[in-house]
Amino acid sequence: MDQNLLAAVEGGHDKLASLSSGENVLSPSTEDPLWWRHAVIYQVYVRSFADGNGDGTGDIAGLRSRLPYLAALGIDAIWITPWYASPLADGGYDVSDYRAIHPDFGTIEEAELLIAEGLELGIRTIIDVVPNHLSDQHAWFKEALAAGPGSPERERFWFVDSEDIPNHWVSPFDGETWTQTTNEDGTPGQWYLHLFTPEQPDVNWNHPDVRKEYEDVLKFWFDRGVGGVRIDSAALLIKDPELSEVVGEPAAGEHPWQDRDELHEVYASWRAIADSYPGARALVGELWLPDVERFVQYMRPNELHTAFNFDFMSRQWSAQQVRESIDMTLNAHEPVGAPSTWVLSNHDVTRPVTRLGREDSTFSFLTKEFNTPTDLELGTRRSRAAALLTAALPGSLYIYQGDELGLPEVENIPRNKIDDPMHFKSGGTKPGRDGCRVPLPWTREGSSYGFGEDGASSAWLPQPHGWANLSVEAQLEDDNSMLALYTRAIKIRHESADLREGGFTWLTSEPGVVAFRRGESLTCITNFADQPVRLPDGARVLLVSDELVDGELPQDATAWLAAK
Ligand code: GLC
């Protein structure tokens, strides 16, 4: 298996050269209409995945050349973070044209080829749509600024006349959410709303142009064969027209810019569009909502297919916390009939190997600190255990690029290379999210560990020394590597009907141990306790995240067992 993977990487693009561009039909290998219920989805941060043209930035050419690697890993779909035309003020989450690809990443034709080639290999492409805001360089915003106060062009945004800042909404990036414009004659002009950076003005979802535009964007990409859409900041689109202040902890549905009831009708219309295409095109919401009952309402049958389950990431590494989160998640999803998702990380949070090696093992969106003490060896062990634990749970599974290699967070990026606006919004006090966005190491040698060809421009974010052994090449040769573990787990998951669609039952276990059965015969046991735990008699070990000690499962390890 590992040799195949190696060959897949080396074979690179040649294997794919013969593939033809697909039509707007999904290939036979991707016919399953319920694929999104149990898919393994690999998140590609395109800027940092693989650099095909040697300019130091990842691109579609690089991604296409590595599709065989992803096929060998066994994933069902990739989710690509924004690849559109953009000034990259927020890593591409500031889109200036939703129908064009950023020239650093490639062209629309290459995007179409990628989608088609992926399908030939059984890999669907999920794109990232950003409907809450766009770039200040988008034609609409430039027109709005040029047209001036009171113009119809400004009605597509939240422009407000006000002497002082219109309200005190706090950005998820920290700080204010309003910027004042300057009139042509130099006098102070209207204010506009931007929940994130000033380069990301929020659009006004009460405006029919806005609704129509994003529906057309969905169709544009569905027409090109994408298998689904990840919806960025999905809970934020609708604002209280009064722009009222946030007072205390607003009651459910009464927050002025989060989780407003009117959102449901937006997503019902998106679902109708998705359903009008063949091949089960899936809608996946990025919904950071503390209220799980409200959260699952977005996954009623006529709305989103799934949404990221961030609760799991926000728990401490303990049996009790993990068990509570699994219980709560499964119980909440059940009545709406939606599958849950399991997410260990993404491009916004600290890498699991680092996070789980810290005293506070929970993710901290946008609040990372410099110099937090970390035990990477512990974090790696726990990440291996967490990978098997999450891969055994019912629902779909997300893997953020590089987690299958066990990459740690890069914490020493030189200040002058930091790119994330979050760092700057914090006045330089927080590192921001670049540490989980460092380009992947593919080979042991080479100026950028094979991210680009040897001698190509250095990677856009510097890779640390010492990543040779974390490279794909090194891990393909090591049967105990994180990559080997992920590959085996995904393979077993694919082959096991129990894991794909079997029921879920808790098993009684000792304190500090989480144990459950899937379907008829697959058992998953994670040991959080500081004593090794005996495995049930008569079980056959299918996979284990760490070596057994005298036949017992050590601390911070997970085993998959089958009845003999
Ligand atoms: C989402 C993205 C994040 C981005 C933000 C604003 O949370 O995941 O990367 O900065 O939205 O678009």
Side-chain angles (χ1 to χ4, degrees):
M1 176 179 60
D2 292 348
Q3 283 310 312
N4 290 345
L5 261 173
L6 187 56
V9 176
E10 283 170 352
H13 200 145
D14 296 348
K15 286 198 171 176
L16 294 167
S18 58
L19 298 178
S20 57
S21 162
E23 290 161 26
N24 178 32
V25 255
L26 300 176
S27 76
S29 59
T30 45
E31 257 168 9
D32 177 7
L34 298 179
W35 67 277
W36 47 275
R37 297 189 72 89
H38 48 72
V40 178
I41 299 159
Y42 183 95
Q43 182 190 351
V44 174
Y45 195 75
V46 66
R47 243 175 146 182
S48 300
F49 185 70
D51 173 13
N53 67 359
D55 65 357
T57 292
D59 48 35
I60 300 176
L63 174 53
R64 285 172 63 201
S65 77
R66 301 294 202 269
L67 279 175
Y69 165 77
L70 296 174
L73 182 57
I75 53 131
D76 302 294
I78 47 176
W79 147 35
I80 305 183
T81 49
W83 54 1
Y84 316 102
S86 161
L88 303 180
D90 180 19
Y93 284 94
D94 49 317
V95 181
S96 54
D97 184 350
Y98 292 88
R99 296 173 183 81
I101 299 289
H102 192 295
D104 285 355
F105 302 150
T107 62
I108 281 284
E109 290 71 29
E110 287 179 278
E112 289 174 348
L113 277 172
L114 168 81
I115 295 165
E117 290 165 354
L119 288 175
E120 297 275 352
L121 294 169
I123 298 174
R124 294 168 202 255
T125 297
I126 295 175
I127 53 152
D128 208 319
V129 166
V130 189
N132 178 68
H133 45 267
L134 36 72
S135 162
D136 63 349
Q137 297 307 306
H138 187 286
W140 275 8
F141 195 72
K142 292 206 277 192
E143 285 160 20
L145 283 187
S151 62
E153 287 83 353
R154 289 206 173 185
E155 285 168 17
R156 293 176 179 143
F157 298 90
W158 290 95
F159 277 95
V160 171
D161 288 311
S162 181
E163 266 195 21
D164 285 328
I165 192 161
N167 65 31
H168 299 89
W169 293 355
V170 177
S171 168
F173 281 2
D174 289 339
E176 290 166 353
T177 53
W178 294 90
T179 291
Q180 189 166 26
T181 58
T182 307
N183 292 324
E184 267 183 359
D185 62 5
T187 55
Q190 289 187 303
W191 297 77
Y192 70 89
L193 174 69
H194 50 83
L195 289 183
F196 294 91
T197 69
E199 293 82 13
Q200 294 166 291
D202 282 42
V203 289
N204 175 3
W205 272 85
N206 299 326
H207 198 296
D209 286 1
V210 170
R211 292 186 182 235
K212 176 158 187 321
E213 169 63 5
Y214 284 97
E215 291 185 0
D216 287 350
V217 167
L218 290 185
K219 292 177 196 159
F220 178 89
W221 287 102
F222 284 145
D223 285 342
R224 278 159 185 76
V226 302
V229 171
R230 179 258 188 192
I231 307 163
D232 183 71
S233 303
L236 312 186
L237 277 46
I238 308 280
K239 277 78 180 182
D240 170 14
E242 305 297 321
L243 301 173
S244 55
E245 294 287 1
V246 181
V247 185
E249 288 282 318
E254 284 177 19
H255 192 290
W257 54 269
Q258 279 176 28
D259 185 28
R260 301 200 45 101
D261 291 335
E262 301 91 318
L263 276 167
H264 294 282
E265 134 215 346
V266 171
Y267 294 132
S269 71
W270 285 29
R271 178 61 177 257
I273 293 171
D275 285 351
S276 71
Y277 282 82
R281 315 294 171 104
L283 303 175
V284 187
E286 188 211 15
L287 294 153
W288 298 80
L289 295 180
D291 181 334
V292 71
E293 299 305 328
R294 302 268 310 172
F295 170 72
V296 296
Q297 294 309 305
Y298 290 88
M299 287 170 274
R300 287 175 294 191
N302 69 334
E303 296 190 36
L304 308 182
H305 293 75
T306 60
F308 296 110
N309 167 18
F310 293 120
D311 180 76
F312 191 79
M313 273 204 284
S314 68
R315 300 294 184 136
Q316 285 287 348
W317 181 253
S318 83
Q320 188 248 333
Q321 285 283 306
V322 163
R323 190 181 165 115
E324 197 178 287
S325 180
I326 295 172
D327 246 345
M328 191 193 80
T329 304
L330 295 180
N331 290 340
H333 282 74
E334 219 255 340
V336 290
S340 33
T341 61
W342 303 99
V343 185
L344 283 177
S345 84
N346 61 31
H347 64 293
D348 291 326
V349 305
T350 312
R351 289 262 189 205
V353 158
T354 300
R355 200 173 75 223
L356 295 173
R358 288 179 174 168
E359 197 171 331
D360 176 5
S361 53
T362 63
F363 82 87
S364 46
F365 184 54
L366 309 185
T367 57
K368 296 177 184 181
E369 305 295 338
F370 283 105
N371 304 322
T372 312
T374 308
D375 178 345
L376 284 182
E377 206 241 322
L378 174 69
T380 302
R381 246 190 354 260
R382 288 177 170 176
S383 294
R384 293 174 65 94
L388 290 199
L389 170 67
T390 47
L393 289 166
S396 60
L397 177 72
Y398 282 82
I399 301 169
Y400 174 48
Q401 72 177 37
D403 282 354
E404 84 282 18
L405 304 176
L407 297 186
E409 185 82 4
V410 179
E411 298 190 87
N412 54 356
I413 296 176
R415 298 262 178 160
N416 65 351
K417 294 277 182 185
I418 293 184
D419 184 77
D420 184 9
M422 205 203 107
H423 169 73
F424 302 104
K425 272 236 167 188
S426 76
T429 58
K430 290 179 182 157
R433 299 162 293 176
D434 291 336
C436 63
R437 300 173 176 182
V438 171
L440 295 192
W442 289 89
T443 54
R444 283 204 185 87
E445 316 264 319
S447 46
S448 59
Y449 298 111
F451 169 65
E453 281 194 10
D454 206 11
S457 308
S458 45
W460 72 280
L461 277 177
Q463 298 156 302
H465 294 295
W467 267 19
N469 286 337
L470 289 171
S471 68
V472 171
E473 183 184 35
Q475 299 206 27
L476 288 171
E477 289 163 13
D478 174 2
D479 219 33
N480 293 320
S481 66
M482 185 75 95
L483 180 58
L485 183 74
Y486 264 95
T487 310
R488 285 198 191 100
I490 296 170
K491 185 160 188 284
I492 296 175
R493 192 179 145 109
H494 269 287
E495 288 167 356
S496 157
D498 280 346
L499 276 182
R500 271 198 328 276
E501 52 230 19
F504 175 94
T505 321
W506 285 116
L507 300 175
T508 349
S509 54
E510 295 167 36
V513 174
V514 165
F516 56 86
R517 199 180 59 229
R518 293 295 315 284
E520 292 307 309
S521 61
L522 196 133
T523 298
C524 177
I525 302 185
T526 304
N527 184 13
F528 295 83
D530 53 12
Q531 298 292 328
V533 63
R534 274 196 57 193
L535 295 176
D537 293 333
R540 181 165 54 91
V541 177
L542 287 176
L543 192 57
V544 62
S545 67
D546 209 346
E547 265 176 51
L548 299 181
V549 181
D550 298 330
E552 298 194 332
L553 187 67
Q555 181 178 19
D556 296 327
T558 298
W560 286 3
L561 310 171
K564 260 197 185 143

